[in-house]
Amino acid sequence: MTRCDALIVGGGPAGSTCAERLGRSGLDVLILDRKSFPRDKTCAGWVTPQVMSTLEVDLGDYADGRTLQPITGFLTGLIGRETVENHYDGPVSYGIRRCEFDHYLLQRCGAATRLGVPLKSMERTQDGWVVNEEIQAPLVIGAGGHFCPVARKLGARSLERASVVAAQEIEFEASAADLELGTARPEIPELYFCPDLKGYGWCFRKERFLNIGLGRVDSQNLSDHVAEFCEFLKDRGTIGCEIPVRFHGHAYQLYERVEPRLVDEGVLLIGDAAGLAYPQSGEGIRPAVESGILAAETIVRANGDYAEQRLKPYARLVRERFGKPRSNAASGWLPASWLQLIASRLLVNRSFARKVVIDRWFLHTQQPNLQA
Ligand SMILES: Cc1cc2nc3c(=O)[nH]c(=O)nc-3n(C[C@H](O)[C@H](O)[C@H](O)COP(=O)(O)OP(=O)(O)OC[C@H]3O[C@@H](n4cnc5c(N)ncnc54)[C@H](O)[C@@H]3O)c2cc1C
């Protein structure tokens, strides 16, 4: 039997950040992930400078041998309609590749890992948990993303009323000649909202890599929406080459409408396992990283007693940090046609696009860095 102070199921940004913080306090942490790393993760791969700063990533070191695309502006609009562009004086975000970013964080976190091994069983014992009949830990942290087996085991994810984004994405390396055929610019990602406002598509060039995707809170006919969006990008001239690979699908829950269940006896949930992605943008890496830190803070304070009551401060810290899950009120009482009309006017207003869509919804400039 392998013993550790805490077992983290999932080695994505939530899991590796939590592990790194627990390690700083001297806890012996083991990360279990069903994939071998480096592994890919369906994601557009943009992170804000706040994330890099909270993670204490040295940008020069990171960029050595990895893709780090500074973003200095955004093109926004509605699919098939007008667009506006906003520019900033310096980088307001970065494009990373998840196969590199997640691997970098995992290697750096200092925890022991068991990779390529899925969680198969999880039994409660007097001393905590026995996982896969071979790992014993007083505490298990569910960081397994949207389909986290720990969250499912606890029945912690009631998805009936939840807002779940269904998304499809591809990322591929394009030749210099193929990049020349389109107008996609590396420093200006393009974001296009669906006319019914149920999601948005993006085209994002990170150095030589093109990342294209579309996510919606209404999963019906998602493939059709994606195909139409690709046609639109080709018609606009954003991409001029053929898309050489198949789209990958994934889902994740937004932090709205339902209060997530975050703790249980000897268990905490972090990141997508807890359903914490920002509602308007779907950004999930920052909440994953920050929830990992808040969970670690609570665990260290609990000082070895992981009764549910001792772990509850984590739920309070999450509420303080991210607020109460909003109810999605506007779309509840305004007729859809009104919303669409208002949105089609506002989204192509440069000032609204900058102050609300980009600064507030996508960059969260109003939310200071987590002090932990
Ligand atoms: C198409 C798309 C685009 C996105 N774009 C962005 C973006 O640009 N910026 C942004 O901030 N967010 C984006 N997100 C959201 C972001 O990807 C997630 O919020 C983020 O990855 C959450 O991190 P995490 O560590 O909680 O989970 P994950 O990154 O999903 O990591 C979970 C880990 O758990 C492992 N695991 C799963 N099941 C098991 C099991 N049974 N046993 C063991 N291990 C298991 C997985 O292999 C994985 O390594 C996007 C999401 C999608 C779907």
Side-chain angles (χ1 to χ4, degrees):
M1 193 72 70
T2 302
R3 288 169 215 279
C4 57
D5 295 331
L7 175 70
I8 300 184
V9 178
S16 57
T17 305
C18 188
E20 197 270 336
R21 293 300 169 115
L22 290 176
R24 280 189 201 184
S25 297
L27 272 79
D28 174 22
V29 180
L30 176 64
I31 296 180
L32 180 80
D33 200 297
R34 72 189 165 104
K35 295 262 180 78
S36 298
F37 280 58
R39 60 102 177 90
D40 212 355
K41 157 77 181 74
T42 308
C43 187
W46 61 265
V47 288
T48 51
Q50 296 96 312
V51 170
M52 295 306 216
S53 153
T54 303
L55 287 171
E56 297 165 10
V57 172
D58 176 332
L59 298 179
D61 171 55
Y62 184 86
D64 185 12
R66 298 177 197 86
T67 297
L68 183 71
Q69 176 61 59
I71 294 168
T72 56
F74 288 90
L75 181 146
T76 50
L78 280 160
I79 296 174
R81 317 254 177 95
E82 274 173 81
T83 56
V84 285
E85 256 186 56
N86 276 288
H87 298 264
Y88 295 78
D89 292 336
V92 288
S93 249
Y94 296 97
I96 48 90
R97 301 188 67 219
R98 289 293 298 272
C99 51
E100 296 170 351
F101 185 71
D102 290 19
H103 192 213
Y104 171 84
L105 295 180
L106 187 66
Q107 281 185 317
R108 207 186 62 153
C109 80
T113 53
R114 200 159 294 182
L115 305 177
V117 180
L119 181 139
K120 291 196 211 97
S121 65
M122 186 176 157
E123 303 303 330
R124 189 89 183 123
T125 64
Q126 259 190 337
D127 305 322
W129 297 96
V130 171
V131 167
N132 289 358
E133 298 178 359
E134 52 139 357
I135 305 166
Q136 191 175 59
L139 178 71
V140 171
I141 298 154
H146 183 66
F147 300 105
C148 180
V150 180
R152 266 188 287 146
K153 160 108 184 148
L154 296 180
R157 304 290 302 284
S158 128
L159 295 177
E160 267 166 38
R161 287 180 46 247
S163 297
V164 176
V165 174
Q168 290 188 4
E169 173 263 2
I170 42 160
E171 185 165 287
F172 60 95
E173 184 171 2
S175 67
D178 278 350
L179 290 171
E180 282 287 308
L181 294 173
T183 58
R185 289 159 292 171
E187 68 287 1
I188 314 276
E190 305 190 6
L191 305 172
Y192 300 93
F193 290 86
C194 299
D196 64 4
L197 304 179
K198 290 190 174 171
Y200 68 90
W202 63 89
C203 180
F204 190 2
R205 179 175 156 194
K206 300 177 246 184
E207 298 176 1
R208 332 181 286 284
F209 294 90
L210 278 173
N211 185 300
I212 299 165
L214 183 134
R216 288 175 57 81
V217 282
D218 167 5
S219 62
Q220 272 197 339
N221 306 323
L222 180 63
S223 296
D224 295 342
H225 286 283
V226 172
E228 281 169 29
F229 179 58
C230 288
E231 281 311 306
F232 162 72
L233 290 177
K234 283 183 185 163
D235 289 348
R236 254 186 84 82
T238 308
I239 46 173
C241 59
E242 287 308 312
I243 294 171
V245 279
R246 285 168 56 118
F247 277 81
H248 299 287
H250 198 59
Y252 60 114
Q253 187 183 336
L254 304 177
Y255 185 65
E256 65 177 9
R257 291 161 74 170
V258 289
E259 192 83 52
R261 186 158 152 222
L262 301 171
V263 296
D264 208 315
E265 286 292 313
V267 181
L268 292 103
L269 300 178
I270 58 178
D272 275 7
L276 296 177
Y278 282 117
Q280 295 95 344
S281 62
E283 177 188 358
I285 298 173
R286 185 173 180 185
V289 164
E290 293 188 353
S291 61
I293 293 171
L294 297 175
E297 201 178 301
T298 307
I299 293 164
V300 171
R301 288 219 179 107
N303 201 18
D305 173 3
Y306 303 128
E308 183 178 1
Q309 214 41 41
R310 297 277 291 165
L311 299 178
K312 276 201 169 147
Y314 166 59
R316 182 178 46 76
L317 291 174
V318 167
R319 174 69 93 93
E320 277 170 16
R321 180 65 182 161
F322 300 108
K324 189 172 175 294
R326 59 167 211 164
S327 61
N328 204 2
S331 54
W333 54 265
L334 274 182
S337 55
W338 283 32
L339 264 181
Q340 285 160 25
L341 184 68
I342 295 167
S344 61
R345 301 258 161 88
L346 284 176
L347 288 170
V348 292
N349 174 296
R350 180 171 289 112
S351 168
F352 182 87
R354 184 179 186 115
K355 290 189 181 135
V356 180
V357 179
I358 305 171
D359 289 351
R360 245 192 126 67
W361 295 353
F362 280 82
L363 301 178
H364 297 280
T365 48
Q366 76 284 5
Q367 189 159 35
N369 277 6
L370 183 69
Q371 302 295 331

